[in-house]
Amino acid sequence: MNVRIGIPKGSLQEATLQLFARAGLQVYTNGRSYFAGTADPEIDCMLIRAQEMARYVEHGVLDAGLTGLDWVIESGLEVVPVSDLVYAKQSRGKVRWVLAVPESSEYQRAEDLAHCIIATELVNVTRNYFQKKNVPVQVEFSWGATEVKPPMLADAIVEVTETGSSLKANRLRIIDTVLESNTQVIANTTSWADGCKRRKIENLALMLRGAMDAKDRVGLMLNVRKQDLDRVLSVLPALKKPTIATLSDDEWVAVNTVIEESTAWQVIPRLKEAKAQGIVEYPLNKVVM
Protein backbone atom coordinates (compact mmCIF):
# COMPACT_ATOMS: atom_id res chain seq x y z
CA MET A 1 0.00 0.00 0.00
CA ASN A 2 1.68 3.18 -1.21
CA VAL A 3 0.41 6.70 -0.67
CA ARG A 4 1.23 9.36 -3.27
CA ILE A 5 1.56 12.89 -1.91
CA GLY A 6 1.62 16.08 -3.98
CA ILE A 7 4.20 18.72 -3.06
CA PRO A 8 3.66 22.23 -4.45
CA LYS A 9 6.23 23.05 -7.11
CA GLY A 10 7.38 26.65 -7.30
CA SER A 11 7.49 29.32 -4.61
CA LEU A 12 6.32 27.00 -1.80
CA GLN A 13 8.51 24.04 -2.80
CA GLU A 14 11.60 24.79 -0.70
CA ALA A 15 9.59 25.74 2.40
CA THR A 16 7.55 22.53 2.04
CA LEU A 17 10.61 20.28 1.65
CA GLN A 18 12.16 21.90 4.73
CA LEU A 19 8.94 21.30 6.67
CA PHE A 20 8.93 17.62 5.66
CA ALA A 21 12.55 17.31 6.80
CA ARG A 22 11.77 18.89 10.18
CA ALA A 23 8.83 16.49 10.51
CA GLY A 24 11.30 13.61 10.07
CA LEU A 25 10.47 12.61 6.49
CA GLN A 26 13.26 13.27 4.00
CA VAL A 27 12.09 13.83 0.43
CA TYR A 28 14.62 13.00 -2.30
CA THR A 29 14.12 15.24 -5.32
CA ASN A 30 15.82 15.31 -8.70
CA GLY A 31 15.99 18.64 -10.48
CA ARG A 32 14.98 17.01 -13.77
CA SER A 33 12.11 14.89 -12.46
CA TYR A 34 8.66 15.63 -11.10
CA PHE A 35 8.74 12.40 -9.05
CA ALA A 36 10.42 12.11 -5.65
CA GLY A 37 11.09 9.31 -3.22
CA THR A 38 11.02 9.56 0.56
CA ALA A 39 12.61 7.87 3.55
CA ASP A 40 9.28 6.07 4.07
CA PRO A 41 8.94 3.27 1.49
CA GLU A 42 5.13 3.62 1.66
CA ILE A 43 5.12 7.30 0.64
CA ASP A 44 5.92 8.62 -2.84
CA CYS A 45 5.78 12.26 -3.89
CA MET A 46 5.06 14.25 -7.02
CA LEU A 47 5.89 17.90 -7.62
CA ILE A 48 2.74 19.63 -8.89
CA ARG A 49 1.88 23.30 -9.27
CA ALA A 50 -0.24 24.45 -6.33
CA GLN A 51 -2.86 25.77 -8.76
CA GLU A 52 -3.40 22.24 -10.13
CA MET A 53 -3.10 20.23 -6.91
CA ALA A 54 -6.82 20.02 -6.12
CA ARG A 55 -7.56 18.69 -9.62
CA TYR A 56 -5.10 15.80 -9.37
CA VAL A 57 -6.16 14.99 -5.81
CA GLU A 58 -9.84 15.02 -6.81
CA HIS A 59 -9.10 12.81 -9.86
CA GLY A 60 -7.22 10.29 -7.69
CA VAL A 61 -3.81 10.72 -9.34
CA LEU A 62 -2.67 11.82 -5.87
CA ASP A 63 -3.96 10.44 -2.58
CA ALA A 64 -3.24 13.75 -0.85
CA GLY A 65 -1.40 16.99 -1.43
CA LEU A 66 -0.38 20.33 -0.02
CA THR A 67 -1.81 23.43 -1.63
CA GLY A 68 -3.39 26.74 -0.75
CA LEU A 69 -6.97 27.11 0.44
CA ASP A 70 -7.25 29.76 -2.28
CA TRP A 71 -6.63 27.24 -5.08
CA VAL A 72 -9.01 24.70 -3.53
CA ILE A 73 -11.78 27.31 -3.49
CA GLU A 74 -10.87 28.51 -6.99
CA SER A 75 -11.06 24.97 -8.38
CA GLY A 76 -14.51 24.25 -6.93
CA LEU A 77 -13.54 20.56 -6.74
CA GLU A 78 -14.51 18.08 -4.02
CA VAL A 79 -11.55 17.18 -1.82
CA VAL A 80 -11.22 16.43 1.88
CA PRO A 81 -9.60 19.21 3.97
CA VAL A 82 -7.33 17.30 6.37
CA SER A 83 -5.33 19.99 8.15
CA ASP A 84 -4.35 23.65 8.01
CA LEU A 85 -0.62 24.39 7.87
CA VAL A 86 -0.10 28.12 8.23
CA TYR A 87 3.14 28.87 6.41
CA ALA A 88 4.04 30.75 3.26
CA LYS A 89 7.05 31.53 1.06
CA GLN A 90 8.53 34.13 3.43
CA SER A 91 6.75 33.68 6.73
CA ARG A 92 4.57 31.55 8.99
CA GLY A 93 1.56 33.78 8.45
CA LYS A 94 -1.40 33.63 6.12
CA VAL A 95 -1.35 35.28 2.73
CA ARG A 96 -4.01 37.67 1.42
CA TRP A 97 -5.56 38.10 -2.00
CA VAL A 98 -6.15 41.83 -2.16
CA LEU A 99 -7.93 44.22 -4.47
CA ALA A 100 -5.40 46.87 -5.47
CA VAL A 101 -5.58 49.97 -7.65
CA PRO A 102 -3.02 52.55 -8.82
CA GLU A 103 -1.96 54.93 -6.04
CA SER A 104 -2.99 57.94 -8.12
CA SER A 105 -6.47 56.61 -8.98
CA GLU A 106 -9.69 57.87 -7.45
CA TYR A 107 -10.96 54.35 -6.62
CA GLN A 108 -11.52 53.95 -2.87
CA ARG A 109 -13.70 50.82 -2.64
CA ALA A 110 -14.83 47.88 -4.74
CA GLU A 111 -18.09 49.59 -5.69
CA ASP A 112 -16.12 52.34 -7.47
CA LEU A 113 -14.87 49.78 -10.02
CA ALA A 114 -18.19 49.18 -11.80
CA HIS A 115 -17.63 48.29 -15.49
CA CYS A 116 -13.85 48.20 -14.99
CA ILE A 117 -11.30 45.52 -15.98
CA ILE A 118 -9.86 43.42 -13.14
CA ALA A 119 -6.78 41.29 -13.82
CA THR A 120 -6.05 38.25 -11.65
CA GLU A 121 -5.02 34.60 -11.54
CA LEU A 122 -7.88 33.91 -9.12
CA VAL A 123 -10.69 34.39 -11.63
CA ASN A 124 -13.60 32.49 -10.05
CA VAL A 125 -13.02 33.85 -6.54
CA THR A 126 -12.76 37.39 -7.92
CA ARG A 127 -15.97 37.03 -9.94
CA ASN A 128 -17.81 35.75 -6.88
CA TYR A 129 -16.46 38.62 -4.78
CA PHE A 130 -17.84 41.27 -7.14
CA GLN A 131 -21.09 39.38 -7.74
CA LYS A 132 -21.81 39.38 -4.00
CA LYS A 133 -21.38 43.14 -4.05
CA ASN A 134 -23.55 43.47 -7.19
CA VAL A 135 -20.72 45.28 -8.97
CA PRO A 136 -20.50 44.48 -12.72
CA VAL A 137 -16.85 44.10 -13.78
CA GLN A 138 -14.84 42.32 -16.47
CA VAL A 139 -12.49 39.80 -14.84
CA GLU A 140 -9.54 38.80 -17.02
CA PHE A 141 -7.11 35.97 -16.34
CA SER A 142 -3.55 37.13 -15.80
CA TRP A 143 -0.68 34.84 -16.79
CA GLY A 144 1.72 36.61 -14.44
CA ALA A 145 3.36 39.97 -13.69
CA THR A 146 -0.10 41.11 -12.62
CA GLU A 147 1.24 44.08 -10.62
CA VAL A 148 2.44 45.89 -13.79
CA LYS A 149 -0.93 45.81 -15.58
CA PRO A 150 -2.69 48.83 -14.02
CA PRO A 151 -3.50 51.34 -15.32
CA MET A 152 -2.77 50.56 -18.99
CA LEU A 153 -3.88 46.91 -19.23
CA ALA A 154 -6.34 46.80 -16.32
CA ASP A 155 -8.06 49.21 -13.96
CA ALA A 156 -7.36 47.10 -10.88
CA ILE A 157 -5.95 43.73 -9.88
CA VAL A 158 -6.62 40.99 -7.36
CA GLU A 159 -3.22 39.69 -6.31
CA VAL A 160 -1.71 37.59 -3.53
CA THR A 161 0.57 39.25 -1.00
CA GLU A 162 2.39 38.47 2.23
CA THR A 163 3.86 41.86 3.06
CA GLY A 164 2.46 44.22 0.42
CA SER A 165 5.98 45.34 -0.54
CA SER A 166 5.69 44.25 -4.19
CA LEU A 167 2.43 46.16 -4.57
CA LYS A 168 3.95 49.29 -3.06
CA ALA A 169 6.98 48.97 -5.33
CA ASN A 170 4.61 49.01 -8.31
CA ARG A 171 2.73 52.05 -6.94
CA LEU A 172 -0.43 50.14 -6.10
CA ARG A 173 -2.77 50.75 -3.19
CA ILE A 174 -4.81 48.05 -1.43
CA ILE A 175 -8.50 48.89 -1.06
CA ASP A 176 -9.88 45.55 0.19
CA THR A 177 -9.03 41.97 1.12
CA VAL A 178 -10.78 39.46 -1.14
CA LEU A 179 -9.59 36.25 0.55
CA GLU A 180 -7.21 35.07 3.26
CA SER A 181 -5.44 31.82 2.51
CA ASN A 182 -3.02 29.32 4.02
CA THR A 183 -1.52 26.00 3.05
CA GLN A 184 -3.72 22.94 3.57
CA VAL A 185 -3.29 19.18 3.45
CA ILE A 186 -6.11 17.88 1.25
CA ALA A 187 -7.05 14.29 0.43
CA ASN A 188 -8.88 12.36 -2.25
CA THR A 189 -12.32 11.22 -1.03
CA THR A 190 -11.72 7.56 -2.00
CA SER A 191 -8.27 7.50 -0.40
CA TRP A 192 -9.74 9.08 2.75
CA ALA A 193 -12.30 6.27 2.93
CA ASP A 194 -9.49 3.68 2.80
CA GLY A 195 -8.53 3.04 6.44
CA CYS A 196 -4.84 2.36 5.78
CA LYS A 197 -4.33 5.35 3.50
CA ARG A 198 -6.30 7.63 5.80
CA ARG A 199 -4.11 6.65 8.77
CA LYS A 200 -0.98 7.36 6.74
CA ILE A 201 -2.28 10.76 5.63
CA GLU A 202 -3.43 11.67 9.16
CA ASN A 203 -0.03 10.69 10.60
CA LEU A 204 1.75 12.79 7.98
CA ALA A 205 -0.44 15.80 8.80
CA LEU A 206 0.17 15.26 12.54
CA MET A 207 3.94 15.25 12.11
CA LEU A 208 3.90 18.28 9.81
CA ARG A 209 1.82 20.23 12.35
CA GLY A 210 4.17 19.10 15.12
CA ALA A 211 7.18 20.38 13.18
CA MET A 212 5.44 23.70 12.58
CA ASP A 213 4.44 24.08 16.23
CA ALA A 214 8.05 23.40 17.30
CA LYS A 215 9.49 26.12 15.08
CA ASP A 216 10.63 29.19 17.06
CA ARG A 217 10.07 27.34 20.35
CA VAL A 218 12.56 25.80 22.75
CA GLY A 219 12.38 23.47 25.71
CA LEU A 220 13.52 24.40 29.21
CA MET A 221 14.58 22.06 31.99
CA LEU A 222 15.49 23.23 35.48
CA ASN A 223 15.66 22.19 39.11
CA VAL A 224 14.21 24.16 42.01
CA ARG A 225 13.57 23.73 45.72
CA LYS A 226 9.91 23.09 46.53
CA GLN A 227 9.78 26.22 48.66
CA ASP A 228 10.74 28.32 45.59
CA LEU A 229 8.50 26.48 43.07
CA ASP A 230 5.67 29.03 43.01
CA ARG A 231 8.10 31.86 42.24
CA VAL A 232 9.57 29.87 39.34
CA LEU A 233 6.15 28.92 37.94
CA SER A 234 5.06 32.56 37.96
CA VAL A 235 7.88 33.30 35.50
CA LEU A 236 7.12 30.53 33.01
CA PRO A 237 4.78 31.22 30.02
CA ALA A 238 3.98 27.54 29.43
CA LEU A 239 1.95 26.08 26.57
CA LYS A 240 -0.28 24.32 29.08
CA LYS A 241 1.20 23.65 32.51
CA PRO A 242 4.85 22.74 33.08
CA THR A 243 5.74 19.13 33.83
CA ILE A 244 6.91 18.81 37.44
CA ALA A 245 8.72 15.70 38.67
CA THR A 246 10.14 14.83 42.06
CA LEU A 247 13.88 14.18 42.43
CA SER A 248 15.81 11.79 44.63
CA ASP A 249 16.16 14.67 47.09
CA ASP A 250 12.61 15.27 48.38
CA GLU A 251 13.28 18.99 48.82
CA TRP A 252 13.80 19.49 45.07
CA VAL A 253 11.69 19.09 41.90
CA ALA A 254 12.49 19.13 38.19
CA VAL A 255 10.48 21.41 35.89
CA ASN A 256 10.17 20.87 32.13
CA THR A 257 8.33 23.24 29.80
CA VAL A 258 8.19 24.81 26.33
CA ILE A 259 8.53 28.54 25.63
CA GLU A 260 8.87 30.83 22.63
CA GLU A 261 12.55 31.09 21.72
CA SER A 262 12.30 34.88 21.55
CA THR A 263 11.31 35.02 25.25
CA ALA A 264 14.24 32.92 26.54
CA TRP A 265 16.46 36.02 26.70
CA GLN A 266 14.19 37.54 29.35
CA VAL A 267 12.90 34.37 31.02
CA ILE A 268 16.16 32.58 31.90
CA PRO A 269 17.64 35.44 33.99
CA ARG A 270 14.32 35.79 35.81
CA LEU A 271 14.30 32.05 36.54
CA LYS A 272 17.77 32.38 38.02
CA GLU A 273 16.56 35.26 40.20
CA ALA A 274 13.68 33.00 41.34
CA LYS A 275 16.36 30.53 42.56
CA ALA A 276 16.07 27.97 39.74
CA GLN A 277 19.24 25.92 39.18
CA GLY A 278 20.65 23.71 36.42
CA ILE A 279 18.70 25.58 33.73
CA VAL A 280 19.01 23.90 30.32
CA GLU A 281 17.59 25.32 27.07
CA TYR A 282 17.30 22.79 24.22
CA PRO A 283 15.95 22.84 20.63
CA LEU A 284 12.71 21.12 19.62
CA ASN A 285 11.98 19.10 16.50
CA LYS A 286 8.26 18.60 16.97
CA VAL A 287 5.55 19.68 19.42
CA VAL A 288 2.44 17.49 19.12
CA MET A 289 -0.53 19.03 20.91
Side-chain angles (χ1 to χ4, degrees), residues 218 220 259-271 281:
V218 294
L220 278 185
I259 65 172
E260 297 292 332
E261 186 175 15
S262 60
T263 67
W265 176 261
Q266 289 84 24
V267 168
I268 291 177
R270 291 177 59 201
L271 289 172
E281 176 187 331

Side-chain angles (χ1 to χ4, degrees), residues 26-48:
Q26 292 291 335
V27 179
Y28 308 115
T29 59
N30 181 324
R32 289 172 290 185
S33 175
Y34 283 80
F35 296 93
T38 74
D40 186 329
E42 294 183 345
I43 295 180
D44 299 318
C45 293
M46 281 187 69
L47 300 176
I48 299 289

Side-chain angles (χ1 to χ4, degrees), residues 134-171:
N134 294 316
V135 178
V137 295
Q138 180 180 335
V139 179
E140 294 186 350
F141 177 75
S142 172
W143 291 94
T146 307
E147 297 101 323
V148 304
K149 295 189 173 179
M152 294 183 63
L153 303 177
D155 299 293
I157 64 171
V158 171
E159 179 66 338
V160 67
T161 183
E162 284 187 58
T163 65
S165 58
S166 179
L167 295 172
K168 289 179 182 177
N170 285 280
R171 299 179 181 178

Side-chain angles (χ1 to χ4, degrees), residues 92-137:
R92 291 187 64 198
K94 293 187 176 186
V95 299
R96 293 187 300 152
W97 284 88
V98 297
L99 177 61
V101 297
E103 286 180 348
S104 58
S105 73
E106 297 181 354
Y107 306 124
Q108 298 297 324
R109 56 196 188 116
E111 288 77 4
D112 297 335
L113 291 164
H115 307 293
C116 289
I117 296 175
I118 316 295
T120 185
E121 286 185 77
L122 208 66
V123 172
N124 293 328
V125 170
T126 300
R127 282 185 181 140
N128 290 338
Y129 167 83
F130 281 101
Q131 285 173 2
K132 287 179 181 178
K133 292 179 176 292
N134 294 316
V135 178
V137 295

